Amino acid sequence: MDGPFPIKELKDLTNLELLDLSSNRFSGSIPGRELSNLVKLKALDLSGNDFSGSVELKVFVGICELKNMQELDLSRNKLVATI
């Protein structure tokens, strides 16, 4: 898959625990707040995409709202951030 991240298609999957969208060609910025309704998400793999740019604080705020998150993989993208 390519293009922007398909958040509209995922927003109602509130019972989702594992989301692996690695090795696609998603571009633009990493979704943060947009993922916050996936409250049961334990693992998110967005590695190997074309996300680029600076990772803003709002992305981390959204991801930090995912209290069940245990694994997050953003490797092999074109991101710039200091965590």
Side-chain angles (χ1 to χ4, degrees):
M1 295 185 276
D2 62 1
F5 189 78
I7 193 61
K8 290 180 183 177
E9 292 81 359
L10 299 172
K11 68 177 183 164
D12 294 327
L13 302 176
T14 56
N15 290 317
L16 191 66
E17 293 185 8
L18 170 64
L19 181 57
D20 184 345
L21 292 173
S22 61
S23 301
N24 286 283
R25 290 179 294 196
F26 292 120
S27 58
S29 59
I30 294 282
R33 287 205 179 274
E34 297 88 350
L35 294 172
S36 63
N37 61 324
L38 303 178
V39 294
K40 294 187 179 180
L41 198 61
K42 294 180 181 179
L44 176 61
D45 188 347
L46 296 176
S47 64
N49 281 284
D50 288 327
F51 291 114
S52 62
S54 177
V55 179
E56 299 177 15
L57 181 60
K58 66 181 180 180
V59 170
F60 291 115
V61 169
I63 290 173
C64 288
E65 290 178 12
L66 301 172
K67 302 296 183 194
N68 293 309
M69 180 73 73
Q70 298 172 7
E71 296 178 37
L72 174 64
D73 190 347
L74 300 175
S75 65
R76 299 185 335 243
N77 281 284
K78 301 170 187 168
L79 300 169
V80 178
T82 301
I83 301 175

Coordinates of all heavy atoms in Angstrom, one line a residue:
M1 N 0.8 -1.2 0.0 CA 0.0 0.0 0.0 C 0.9 1.2 0.0 O 2.0 1.2 0.5 CB -0.9 0.0 1.2 CG -1.9 -1.1 1.3 SD -3.0 -1.0 2.7 CE -2.0 -1.8 3.9
D2 N 0.4 2.3 -0.5 CA 1.1 3.6 -0.5 C 0.2 4.8 -0.3 O -1.0 4.6 -0.2 CB 1.9 3.7 -1.8 CG 1.1 3.8 -3.1 OD1 -0.2 3.7 -2.9 OD2 1.6 3.9 -4.1
G3 N 0.8 5.9 -0.1 CA 0.1 7.1 0.1 C 0.0 7.4 1.6 O 0.8 6.9 2.4
P4 N -0.9 8.3 2.0 CA -1.0 8.7 3.4 C -1.5 7.5 4.2 O -2.1 6.6 3.7 CB -2.0 9.8 3.4 CG -2.6 9.8 2.1 CD -1.8 9.0 1.1
F5 N -1.3 7.6 5.5 CA -1.7 6.5 6.4 C -3.2 6.4 6.5 O -3.9 7.4 6.6 CB -1.2 6.8 7.8 CG -1.3 5.7 8.8 CD1 -0.5 4.7 8.8 CD2 -2.4 5.8 9.7 CE1 -0.6 3.6 9.7 CE2 -2.5 4.7 10.7 CZ -1.7 3.7 10.6
P6 N -3.8 5.2 6.4 CA -5.2 5.0 6.3 C -6.0 5.1 7.6 O -6.6 4.1 8.0 CB -5.3 3.6 5.6 CG -4.2 2.9 6.2 CD -3.1 3.9 6.3
I7 N -5.9 6.2 8.3 CA -6.5 6.3 9.6 C -8.0 6.2 9.6 O -8.6 5.6 10.5 CB -6.0 7.5 10.4 CG1 -6.3 7.4 11.9 CG2 -6.6 8.8 9.7 CD1 -5.7 6.3 12.6
K8 N -8.6 6.7 8.6 CA -10.1 6.6 8.5 C -10.6 5.2 8.5 O -11.6 4.8 9.1 CB -10.6 7.4 7.3 CG -10.5 8.8 7.4 CD -11.0 9.5 6.2 CE -10.8 11.0 6.3 NZ -11.2 11.7 5.1
E9 N -9.8 4.3 7.9 CA -10.2 2.9 7.8 C -10.0 2.1 9.1 O -10.5 1.1 9.3 CB -9.5 2.2 6.6 CG -9.9 2.7 5.3 CD -9.2 4.0 4.8 OE1 -8.4 4.6 5.6 OE2 -9.5 4.4 3.7
L10 N -9.1 2.7 10.0 CA -8.7 2.0 11.2 C -9.4 2.5 12.4 O -9.4 1.9 13.5 CB -7.2 2.1 11.3 CG -6.4 1.5 10.2 CD1 -4.9 1.8 10.4 CD2 -6.6 0.0 10.2
K11 N -9.9 3.7 12.4 CA -10.3 4.4 13.6 C -11.4 3.7 14.4 O -11.5 3.9 15.6 CB -10.8 5.8 13.3 CG -12.1 5.9 12.5 CD -12.5 7.3 12.3 CE -13.9 7.3 11.6 NZ -14.6 8.5 11.7
D12 N -12.2 2.9 13.8 CA -13.3 2.2 14.5 C -12.8 0.8 15.1 O -13.7 0.1 15.7 CB -14.5 2.0 13.7 CG -15.1 3.3 13.3 OD1 -15.1 4.3 14.2 OD2 -15.7 3.5 12.2
L13 N -11.6 0.4 14.9 CA -11.1 -0.9 15.3 C -10.6 -0.8 16.7 O -9.4 -1.1 17.0 CB -10.0 -1.4 14.3 CG -10.5 -1.5 12.9 CD1 -9.3 -1.9 12.0 CD2 -11.6 -2.5 12.7
T14 N -11.5 -0.5 17.6 CA -11.1 -0.2 19.0 C -10.6 -1.4 19.8 O -10.0 -1.3 20.8 CB -12.2 0.5 19.8 OG1 -13.4 -0.3 19.7 CG2 -12.5 1.8 19.2
N15 N -10.9 -2.6 19.3 CA -10.5 -3.9 19.9 C -9.2 -4.4 19.4 O -8.7 -5.5 19.8 CB -11.5 -5.0 19.9 CG -12.7 -4.6 20.7 OD1 -12.6 -4.2 21.9 ND2 -13.9 -4.8 20.2
L16 N -8.6 -3.7 18.4 CA -7.4 -4.1 17.7 C -6.2 -4.1 18.7 O -6.0 -3.2 19.4 CB -7.1 -3.2 16.6 CG -6.0 -3.6 15.6 CD1 -6.4 -4.8 14.8 CD2 -5.7 -2.4 14.6
E17 N -5.5 -5.2 18.7 CA -4.3 -5.4 19.6 C -3.0 -5.3 18.9 O -2.0 -4.9 19.5 CB -4.4 -6.6 20.5 CG -5.6 -6.6 21.4 CD -5.6 -7.9 22.3 OE1 -4.6 -8.7 22.3 OE2 -6.6 -8.0 23.1
L18 N -2.9 -5.8 17.7 CA -1.7 -5.8 16.9 C -2.0 -5.2 15.5 O -2.9 -5.6 14.9 CB -1.2 -7.3 16.7 CG -0.1 -7.5 15.7 CD1 1.2 -6.9 16.2 CD2 0.1 -9.0 15.5
L19 N -1.1 -4.3 15.2 CA -1.2 -3.6 13.8 C 0.1 -3.6 13.2 O 1.1 -3.0 13.7 CB -1.8 -2.2 14.0 CG -2.0 -1.4 12.7 CD1 -2.9 -2.1 11.7 CD2 -2.5 0.0 13.0
D20 N 0.3 -4.4 12.1 CA 1.5 -4.5 11.4 C 1.3 -4.0 10.0 O 0.7 -4.7 9.2 CB 2.0 -5.9 11.4 CG 3.4 -6.1 10.7 OD1 3.8 -5.1 10.0 OD2 4.0 -7.2 10.9
L21 N 1.8 -2.8 9.8 CA 1.7 -2.2 8.4 C 3.1 -1.9 7.9 O 3.4 -0.9 7.3 CB 0.9 -0.9 8.5 CG -0.6 -1.1 8.8 CD1 -1.4 0.2 8.9 CD2 -1.3 -1.9 7.6
S22 N 4.0 -2.8 8.3 CA 5.4 -2.6 7.9 C 5.6 -2.9 6.4 O 4.8 -3.5 5.8 CB 6.3 -3.5 8.7 OG 6.0 -4.9 8.5
S23 N 6.7 -2.4 5.9 CA 7.1 -2.6 4.5 C 6.1 -2.3 3.4 O 5.8 -3.0 2.5 CB 7.5 -4.1 4.3 OG 8.6 -4.4 5.2
N24 N 5.5 -1.1 3.6 CA 4.6 -0.5 2.7 C 5.2 0.7 2.2 O 6.4 0.9 2.4 CB 3.2 -0.2 3.3 CG 2.4 -1.5 3.5 OD1 1.8 -2.1 2.5 ND2 2.3 -2.0 4.7
R25 N 4.5 1.6 1.6 CA 5.0 2.9 1.1 C 4.2 4.0 1.6 O 3.9 5.0 0.9 CB 5.1 2.9 -0.4 CG 6.2 2.0 -0.9 CD 6.2 2.0 -2.4 NE 4.9 1.4 -2.9 CZ 4.7 1.0 -4.1 NH1 5.6 1.1 -5.0 NH2 3.6 0.5 -4.4
F26 N 3.7 3.9 2.9 CA 3.0 5.1 3.5 C 3.9 6.2 3.6 O 5.1 6.1 3.9 CB 2.4 4.7 4.8 CG 1.4 3.6 4.8 CD1 1.5 2.5 5.5 CD2 0.2 3.8 4.1 CE1 0.6 1.5 5.4 CE2 -0.8 2.9 4.0 CZ -0.6 1.7 4.7
S27 N 3.4 7.4 3.3 CA 4.2 8.6 3.3 C 3.5 9.7 4.2 O 2.5 9.5 4.7 CB 4.4 9.2 1.9 OG 3.1 9.4 1.3
G28 N 4.2 10.8 4.3 CA 3.7 11.9 5.1 C 4.2 11.8 6.6 O 5.3 11.2 6.8
S29 N 3.4 12.2 7.5 CA 3.8 12.2 8.9 C 3.3 11.0 9.6 O 2.3 10.4 9.2 CB 3.4 13.5 9.6 OG 2.0 13.6 9.5
I30 N 3.9 10.6 10.7 CA 3.4 9.5 11.5 C 2.2 9.9 12.2 O 2.1 11.0 12.8 CB 4.5 9.2 12.6 CG1 5.8 8.6 11.9 CG2 4.0 8.2 13.6 CD1 5.6 7.2 11.5
P31 N 1.1 9.1 12.2 CA -0.1 9.5 12.9 C 0.1 9.3 14.4 O 0.8 8.3 14.9 CB -1.1 8.5 12.4 CG -0.3 7.3 12.0 CD 1.0 7.9 11.5
G32 N -0.4 10.2 15.2 CA -0.2 10.1 16.7 C -1.6 10.1 17.3 O -2.1 9.1 17.7
R33 N -2.1 11.3 17.5 CA -3.4 11.5 18.1 C -4.5 10.7 17.3 O -5.4 10.2 18.0 CB -3.8 13.0 18.1 CG -3.0 13.8 19.1 CD -3.9 15.0 19.4 NE -3.2 15.8 20.4 CZ -3.3 15.6 21.7 NH1 -3.9 14.6 22.2 NH2 -2.6 16.4 22.5
E34 N -4.3 10.5 16.1 CA -5.3 9.8 15.3 C -5.4 8.3 15.7 O -6.4 7.7 15.5 CB -4.9 9.8 13.8 CG -4.9 11.2 13.2 CD -3.6 11.9 13.3 OE1 -2.7 11.4 14.0 OE2 -3.4 13.0 12.7
L35 N -4.3 7.8 16.3 CA -4.3 6.4 16.8 C -4.8 6.2 18.2 O -5.0 5.1 18.7 CB -2.9 5.8 16.7 CG -2.3 5.7 15.4 CD1 -0.8 5.3 15.5 CD2 -3.0 4.7 14.6
S36 N -5.1 7.3 18.9 CA -5.4 7.3 20.3 C -6.7 6.5 20.6 O -6.9 6.1 21.8 CB -5.4 8.7 20.9 OG -6.4 9.5 20.3
N37 N -7.6 6.4 19.7 CA -8.8 5.6 19.9 C -8.6 4.1 19.8 O -9.5 3.3 20.1 CB -10.0 6.1 19.0 CG -9.7 5.9 17.6 OD1 -8.5 6.0 17.1 ND2 -10.7 5.5 16.8
L38 N -7.4 3.7 19.4 CA -7.1 2.2 19.4 C -6.6 1.8 20.8 O -5.4 1.4 20.9 CB -6.1 1.9 18.3 CG -6.5 2.3 16.9 CD1 -5.4 2.0 15.9 CD2 -7.8 1.7 16.4
V39 N -7.4 1.9 21.7 CA -7.0 1.8 23.1 C -6.5 0.5 23.6 O -5.8 0.4 24.6 CB -8.2 2.2 24.1 CG1 -8.6 3.7 23.9 CG2 -9.4 1.3 23.8
K40 N -6.8 -0.6 22.8 CA -6.3 -1.9 23.2 C -5.0 -2.3 22.4 O -4.5 -3.4 22.6 CB -7.4 -3.0 23.0 CG -8.5 -2.8 23.9 CD -9.5 -3.9 23.8 CE -10.7 -3.7 24.7 NZ -11.7 -4.8 24.6
L41 N -4.5 -1.4 21.6 CA -3.3 -1.7 20.8 C -2.1 -2.0 21.7 O -1.7 -1.2 22.5 CB -3.0 -0.5 19.9 CG -2.1 -0.7 18.7 CD1 -2.8 -1.8 17.8 CD2 -1.9 0.5 17.9
K42 N -1.5 -3.1 21.5 CA -0.3 -3.5 22.2 C 1.0 -3.4 21.4 O 2.0 -3.2 21.9 CB -0.5 -5.0 22.7 CG -1.5 -5.2 23.7 CD -1.6 -6.6 24.1 CE -2.7 -6.8 25.2 NZ -2.9 -8.2 25.6
A43 N 0.8 -3.6 20.1 CA 2.0 -3.6 19.2 C 1.7 -2.9 17.9 O 0.7 -3.2 17.3 CB 2.5 -5.0 18.9
L44 N 2.5 -1.9 17.5 CA 2.4 -1.2 16.3 C 3.7 -1.2 15.5 O 4.7 -0.8 16.0 CB 2.0 0.3 16.6 CG 1.9 1.2 15.5 CD1 0.8 0.8 14.5 CD2 1.6 2.6 16.0
D45 N 3.6 -1.7 14.3 CA 4.8 -1.8 13.5 C 4.6 -1.0 12.2 O 3.8 -1.4 11.4 CB 5.1 -3.3 13.1 CG 6.5 -3.5 12.4 OD1 7.1 -2.4 12.0 OD2 6.9 -4.6 12.3
L46 N 5.3 0.1 12.1 CA 5.2 0.9 10.9 C 6.5 1.0 10.2 O 6.8 2.0 9.5 CB 4.7 2.3 11.3 CG 3.3 2.4 11.9 CD1 3.0 3.9 12.3 CD2 2.3 1.9 10.9
S47 N 7.4 0.1 10.5 CA 8.8 0.1 9.9 C 8.7 -0.1 8.4 O 7.8 -0.7 7.9 CB 9.6 -1.0 10.6 OG 9.1 -2.3 10.3
G48 N 9.8 0.4 7.8 CA 10.0 0.1 6.4 C 9.0 0.9 5.5 O 8.6 0.4 4.4
N49 N 8.6 2.0 5.9 CA 7.7 2.9 5.0 C 8.4 4.1 4.6 O 9.6 4.2 4.7 CB 6.4 3.2 5.8 CG 5.4 2.1 5.9 OD1 4.7 1.8 4.9 ND2 5.4 1.4 7.0
D50 N 7.7 5.1 4.1 CA 8.3 6.3 3.6 C 7.9 7.5 4.5 O 7.8 8.6 4.0 CB 8.0 6.6 2.1 CG 8.7 5.6 1.2 OD1 9.8 5.2 1.5 OD2 8.1 5.3 0.2
F51 N 7.6 7.3 5.8 CA 7.2 8.4 6.6 C 8.5 9.3 6.7 O 9.6 8.8 6.8 CB 6.8 7.9 8.0 CG 5.5 7.2 8.1 CD1 5.5 5.8 8.4 CD2 4.3 7.8 7.8 CE1 4.3 5.2 8.5 CE2 3.1 7.2 7.8 CZ 3.1 5.8 8.2
S52 N 8.2 10.6 6.7 CA 9.4 11.5 6.7 C 9.1 12.7 7.5 O 8.0 13.0 8.0 CB 9.7 11.9 5.2 OG 8.6 12.6 4.7
G53 N 10.2 13.5 7.7 CA 10.1 14.8 8.4 C 10.3 14.6 9.9 O 10.8 13.6 10.4
S54 N 10.0 15.7 10.6 CA 10.3 15.8 12.0 C 9.1 15.1 12.7 O 7.9 15.4 12.4 CB 10.4 17.2 12.4 OG 10.6 17.4 13.8
V55 N 9.4 14.4 13.7 CA 8.4 13.8 14.6 C 8.0 14.8 15.7 O 8.9 15.1 16.5 CB 8.8 12.4 15.2 CG1 7.7 11.9 16.1 CG2 9.2 11.5 14.1
E56 N 6.8 15.3 15.6 CA 6.5 16.4 16.6 C 6.0 15.8 17.9 O 5.6 14.6 18.0 CB 5.4 17.2 15.9 CG 5.8 17.9 14.7 CD 4.7 18.7 14.0 OE1 3.7 19.0 14.7 OE2 4.9 19.1 12.8
L57 N 5.9 16.6 18.9 CA 5.5 16.2 20.2 C 4.1 15.6 20.2 O 3.8 14.7 20.9 CB 5.6 17.4 21.2 CG 5.2 17.1 22.6 CD1 6.1 16.0 23.2 CD2 5.2 18.4 23.4
K58 N 3.2 16.2 19.4 CA 1.8 15.7 19.3 C 1.7 14.2 18.9 O 0.8 13.5 19.3 CB 1.0 16.6 18.4 CG 1.3 16.5 17.0 CD 0.4 17.4 16.2 CE 0.8 17.4 14.7 NZ 0.0 18.2 13.9
V59 N 2.7 13.7 18.1 CA 2.7 12.3 17.8 C 3.0 11.5 19.0 O 2.3 10.5 19.2 CB 3.8 12.1 16.7 CG1 4.0 10.6 16.5 CG2 3.5 12.8 15.4
F60 N 4.0 11.9 19.8 CA 4.3 11.1 21.0 C 3.2 11.2 22.0 O 2.9 10.3 22.7 CB 5.6 11.6 21.6 CG 6.8 11.2 20.7 CD1 7.6 12.2 20.1 CD2 7.1 9.9 20.5 CE1 8.6 11.9 19.3 CE2 8.2 9.6 19.7 CZ 8.9 10.5 19.1
V61 N 2.5 12.4 22.1 CA 1.4 12.5 23.0 C 0.3 11.5 22.7 O -0.2 10.8 23.5 CB 0.9 14.0 23.0 CG1 -0.4 14.0 23.8 CG2 1.9 14.9 23.7
G62 N 0.0 11.4 21.4 CA -1.0 10.5 21.0 C -0.6 9.0 21.2 O -1.4 8.2 21.7
I63 N 0.6 8.7 21.0 CA 1.1 7.3 21.2 C 1.1 7.0 22.7 O 0.8 5.9 23.1 CB 2.4 7.1 20.5 CG1 2.2 7.1 19.0 CG2 3.1 5.8 20.9 CD1 3.5 7.1 18.1
C64 N 1.5 8.0 23.5 CA 1.6 7.8 24.9 C 0.2 7.6 25.5 O 0.1 7.0 26.6 CB 2.2 9.0 25.6 SG 4.0 9.0 25.3
E65 N -0.9 8.0 24.9 CA -2.2 7.7 25.4 C -2.6 6.3 25.2 O -3.6 5.8 25.8 CB -3.2 8.6 24.6 CG -3.1 10.1 25.0 CD -4.1 10.9 24.2 OE1 -5.0 10.4 23.5 OE2 -3.9 12.2 24.2
L66 N -1.8 5.5 24.4 CA -2.1 4.1 24.2 C -1.5 3.3 25.4 O -0.3 2.9 25.3 CB -1.5 3.6 22.9 CG -2.1 4.3 21.7 CD1 -1.3 4.0 20.4 CD2 -3.6 4.0 21.5
K67 N -2.2 3.2 26.5 CA -1.7 2.7 27.8 C -1.3 1.2 27.7 O -0.5 0.7 28.5 CB -2.7 2.9 28.9 CG -3.1 4.3 29.1 CD -1.9 5.1 29.5 CE -2.3 6.5 29.8 NZ -1.3 7.5 30.0
N68 N -1.8 0.5 26.7 CA -1.5 -1.0 26.5 C -0.3 -1.2 25.6 O 0.1 -2.3 25.4 CB -2.7 -1.7 26.1 CG -3.8 -1.8 27.1 OD1 -3.6 -2.1 28.2 ND2 -5.0 -1.4 26.7
M69 N 0.2 -0.1 25.0 CA 1.3 -0.3 24.0 C 2.5 -0.9 24.7 O 3.0 -0.4 25.7 CB 1.6 1.1 23.4 CG 2.7 1.0 22.4 SD 2.3 0.3 20.8 CE 1.3 1.6 20.2
Q70 N 3.0 -1.9 24.1 CA 4.2 -2.6 24.6 C 5.4 -2.6 23.5 O 6.5 -2.6 23.9 CB 3.9 -4.1 24.9 CG 2.9 -4.2 26.0 CD 2.5 -5.6 26.2 OE1 3.0 -6.6 25.6 NE2 1.5 -5.8 27.1
E71 N 5.0 -2.5 22.2 CA 6.0 -2.5 21.2 C 5.6 -1.5 20.1 O 4.5 -1.4 19.7 CB 6.0 -3.9 20.5 CG 6.5 -5.0 21.4 CD 6.4 -6.3 20.6 OE1 6.7 -6.4 19.4 OE2 6.0 -7.3 21.2
L72 N 6.6 -0.7 19.7 CA 6.5 0.3 18.7 C 7.7 0.3 17.8 O 8.8 0.4 18.3 CB 6.3 1.7 19.3 CG 6.3 2.9 18.4 CD1 5.1 2.8 17.4 CD2 6.3 4.2 19.1
D73 N 7.5 0.0 16.5 CA 8.7 0.0 15.6 C 8.4 1.0 14.5 O 7.5 0.9 13.7 CB 8.8 -1.4 15.0 CG 10.1 -1.6 14.2 OD1 10.8 -0.6 13.9 OD2 10.4 -2.8 13.9
L74 N 9.3 2.0 14.5 CA 9.3 3.1 13.5 C 10.5 3.1 12.6 O 10.8 4.0 11.9 CB 9.1 4.5 14.1 CG 7.8 4.7 14.9 CD1 7.8 6.0 15.6 CD2 6.6 4.5 14.1
S75 N 11.3 2.0 12.7 CA 12.6 1.9 12.0 C 12.4 1.9 10.5 O 11.3 1.7 10.0 CB 13.4 0.7 12.5 OG 12.7 -0.5 12.1
R76 N 13.5 2.2 9.9 CA 13.6 2.2 8.4 C 12.5 3.1 7.8 O 11.9 2.8 6.8 CB 13.5 0.8 7.8 CG 14.6 -0.1 8.3 CD 14.5 -1.5 7.7 NE 13.2 -1.9 7.3 CZ 12.5 -2.9 7.7 NH1 13.0 -3.6 8.7 NH2 11.3 -3.1 7.3
N77 N 12.4 4.3 8.3 CA 11.7 5.4 7.7 C 12.6 6.6 7.6 O 13.8 6.4 7.8 CB 10.5 5.8 8.6 CG 9.3 4.8 8.5 OD1 8.6 4.8 7.5 ND2 9.2 3.9 9.5
K78 N 12.1 7.7 7.2 CA 12.9 8.9 7.0 C 12.6 10.0 8.0 O 12.3 11.1 7.7 CB 12.7 9.4 5.5 CG 13.1 8.4 4.5 CD 12.6 8.8 3.1 CE 12.8 7.7 2.1 NZ 12.2 8.0 0.9
L79 N 12.6 9.6 9.3 CA 12.2 10.5 10.3 C 13.3 11.2 11.0 O 14.4 10.6 11.1 CB 11.4 9.7 11.4 CG 10.1 9.0 10.9 CD1 9.6 8.0 11.9 CD2 9.1 10.0 10.5
V80 N 13.1 12.3 11.5 CA 14.0 13.1 12.3 C 13.4 13.4 13.6 O 12.3 14.0 13.7 CB 14.4 14.4 11.6 CG1 15.4 15.2 12.4 CG2 15.0 14.1 10.2
A81 N 14.0 13.0 14.7 CA 13.5 13.3 16.1 C 14.5 13.1 17.1 O 15.4 12.3 17.0 CB 12.2 12.4 16.3
T82 N 14.3 13.7 18.2 CA 15.0 13.5 19.4 C 14.0 13.1 20.5 O 13.1 13.8 20.8 CB 15.8 14.8 19.9 OG1 16.6 15.2 18.9 CG2 16.6 14.5 21.2
I83 N 14.2 11.9 21.0 CA 13.3 11.4 22.0 C 13.9 11.5 23.4 O 15.0 11.1 23.6 CB 12.9 9.9 21.7 CG1 12.3 9.8 20.3 CG2 12.0 9.3 22.7 CD1 12.0 8.4 19.8

